[in-house]
Amino acid sequence: MTNMNLYSRGDKMFVILNMVLIALFTLSTLYPFIYIASLSMSTGFEARAGNVILTPVGFTLEAYKQVLSEPQFWNSYKNTFIYTIGGTLMSLAFIIPGAYALSRPQLYGRRFWNLMVAFTMWFHAGMIPFFLNMRDLGLLDSYFGIIIGFAVNGFNIILLRNFFEGIPQSFEEAARMDGANEFQVLWKVYLPLSKPAIATVALFCVVSRWNGFFWAMVLLQDDSKIPLQVYLRKVIADLSDDEEFATSLLNAAYSFETVSAAIIVCSIIPILLIYPFLQKYFSKGILLGGVKE
Amino acid sequence: MAGVELKSIVKAYGAVQVVHGIDLDVQEKEFVVLVGPSGCGKSTTLRMIAGLEEISDGELTIDGRVVNNVAPKDRDVAMVFQNYALYPHLNVAENIAFGLRIRKEGQKAIDDAVEEVSGILGLRDYLERRPADLSGGQRQRVAMGRAIVRRPKVFLFDEPLSNLDAKLRTQMRAEIKRLHKRLGVTSIYVTHDQVEAMTLADRIVVMHDGRIEQIGTPMELFLNPVNSFVAGFLGAPPMNQIKGKIVAGSNGPAADLGGQHIALAPLPGLQNAVGREVIVGVRPEYAQIVTEKQDGAIMGELDLVETLGSEALLHMSVGGAPFVIRTETLGNINKLEAVKGFTAAPELIKVFDAKTGMALSGQTRVE
């Protein structure tokens, strides 16, 4: 077989341009990770001097020792897990039945309810009314407030609803003929058939909860309840303004830059660990609802 | 076992009525086939019996109990779907057992039932397989297994063989027939395939535009269709229908088919009918080939010969109308290309009113 020239000059140029752009995009995405990891493993002096560019300079794990020996770090880590796991479970508990109900042709006022859910995707009450609402409900400074307050997301409901709508109706009818009630149809037929969609929605929830920063900062005053992201912000904000602390670090093996970087690395490790296993669902989920299989 | 009775059943979607007050009495253990073209309302009727569609008006009775407002799960009927509707995440055994589990039967009872049903349907070697790993015929068997394992009062089949290839369809048709003989469960079967209807049914219900055209045994419908629609729907190839006019023949009534006369039986419906516009119906298998002009023969032009092995289909044109003759090839093979017309026994010719389509000729006896 000879290698036939199937591509024109323009095609080749297009492919090369694509590869260059993808390489640049990959680098721009990857570099912050590499930089932060290198920073966290460099000495405080080199970090402050701005000598860290690609690899650790004066390799040391002192910043990690400092971070891991701080009880507040572990407490925030625990809080983040609570908000992530509790919040994701709570979200699924609302989103799945909601999406199922909206996918049922027999739902009374179905168009209206769908519109109401979609409405929330574009219009929000705003920060102050939401804060006042949470305050009046007694949900400030509470684990439950963070978990329940952001449990329902219109986008995820519509995503899952579209998937449910794509499941042939005959499965439901067969289950009903077999004696299943509405809940059993959902639990025993629709949920097992919707694993990829549910995994996608769960992943969206996990990522959003894990990275959740703003509302936790607004709603939580009690340091013992703040998640990792708020703790990180606190470390950066507090220590960077603390001249005494900065002076004490002059000859230390770590600095607030390396400590902050170490916290960031610690905070992204769980997501990095689970992402490869869920990546297929994640990319599949982006297409959900766009194409009926 | 139970009978099913439909009294003036109506189905309407808003202002659009799709089933217009049908009456049907399905006897206990009977196998009734609803047949008709697409959109005739047969599947809608079946789904109303199943409880998957609401009944707009009329009364549905199963085993003497009015079930109009009874949920599907409480009607004690089982249904086999056109696309099988097997749960893809469950294996064969779990699919068959699904209904029993929902009804919270004991594990021992479930195991025994799955064992028995899989034995009946020849599925014992496939119990651990998922539906995706089964052939079309095996999936159809699993769908039937899921239906029969609950021992329902009534089986409903919604075009269960339409997704299978021709060979498998023939095989599965026979299996369904055997299964019905063995279990004796009242069955209602929907199809648009008249061969399935003829081979499976104790009685056939021919539907058209949301109405029942005729109910009867396969041979009653085949020999004595009440109208030209039923005549044209049942039979493969269907009955030939040529427009004509009643004339007085030398030995009784005849029909003028564009200048050629065909003798008809002297039946009551044809008395005093001279001059009436009619449709003359001749089944392809009741037409006898002729190779030269003769008295009483209708002559035409041969367009095409299709040889099927033991028989052949001759496609002719009679006065511009298409006409098909089915004839045996044995002894005829050399003269098929020379066919110039046909004759038909008067008692086997059907006559329908040209305007209403209703049969004018009398009954052909089923013997």
Side-chain angles (χ1 to χ4, degrees), chain B residues 207-222:
Chain B
M207 293 186 69
H208 184 218
D209 284 344
R211 291 184 174 83
I212 291 177
E213 296 285 346
Q214 190 173 6
I215 304 173
T217 65
M219 285 311 288
E220 280 170 358
L221 267 58
F222 184 76

Side-chain angles (χ1 to χ4, degrees), chain A residues 170-171 173 177-178 188, chain B residues 47 83 86 89 103 150:
Chain A
S170 54
F171 287 129
E173 291 176 345
M177 295 299 296
D178 277 337
K188 291 183 181 288
Chain B
R47 290 169 60 80
N83 63 355
L86 300 178
H89 57 291
R103 287 174 157 77
R150 287 198 283 117

Side-chain angles (χ1 to χ4, degrees), chain A residues 106 167-185 187-195, chain B residues 47 50-52 72-73 77-79 81 83-90 95 98-100 102-104 146-147 150 156:
Chain A
Q106 64 268 30
I167 294 175
Q169 206 184 350
S170 54
F171 287 129
E172 180 200 345
E173 291 176 345
R176 285 171 64 193
M177 295 299 296
D178 277 337
N181 58 32
E182 206 71 66
F183 178 76
Q184 287 169 319
V185 170
W187 189 254
K188 291 183 181 288
V189 180
Y190 273 67
L191 285 196
L193 293 178
S194 310
K195 275 183 194 161
Chain B
R47 290 169 60 80
L52 298 174
K73 66 188 176 74
V77 299
M79 186 156 163
F81 291 83
N83 63 355
Y84 320 127
L86 300 178
Y87 310 118
H89 57 291
L90 303 179
N95 260 285
F98 186 86
L100 300 178
I102 290 283
R103 287 174 157 77
K104 300 199 187 314
R146 200 172 60 183
R150 287 198 283 117
L156 305 174

Side-chain angles (χ1 to χ4, degrees), chain B residues 155-214:
Chain B
F155 283 150
L156 305 174
F157 297 88
D158 188 6
E159 307 208 31
L161 307 184
S162 59
N163 285 352
L164 304 179
D165 62 49
K167 192 177 172 187
L168 204 52
R169 202 179 305 157
T170 309
Q171 191 186 328
M172 289 304 295
R173 209 169 58 208
E175 286 195 26
I176 290 175
K177 185 87 175 169
R178 263 185 230 113
L179 201 62
H180 179 252
K181 273 189 174 177
R182 178 171 179 170
L183 302 174
V185 177
T186 311
S187 301
I188 303 175
Y189 187 107
V190 160
T191 181
H192 62 265
D193 181 344
Q194 57 89 30
V195 177
E196 276 174 36
M198 294 293 286
T199 51
L200 285 170
D202 293 327
R203 280 193 303 156
I204 294 175
V205 178
V206 181
M207 293 186 69
H208 184 218
D209 284 344
R211 291 184 174 83
I212 291 177
E213 296 285 346
Q214 190 173 6

Side-chain angles (χ1 to χ4, degrees), chain B residues 104-118:
Chain B
K104 300 199 187 314
E105 299 273 352
Q107 189 58 47
K108 174 83 171 62
I110 291 173
D111 290 344
D112 290 348
V114 171
E115 174 79 5
E116 185 192 352
V117 167
S118 59

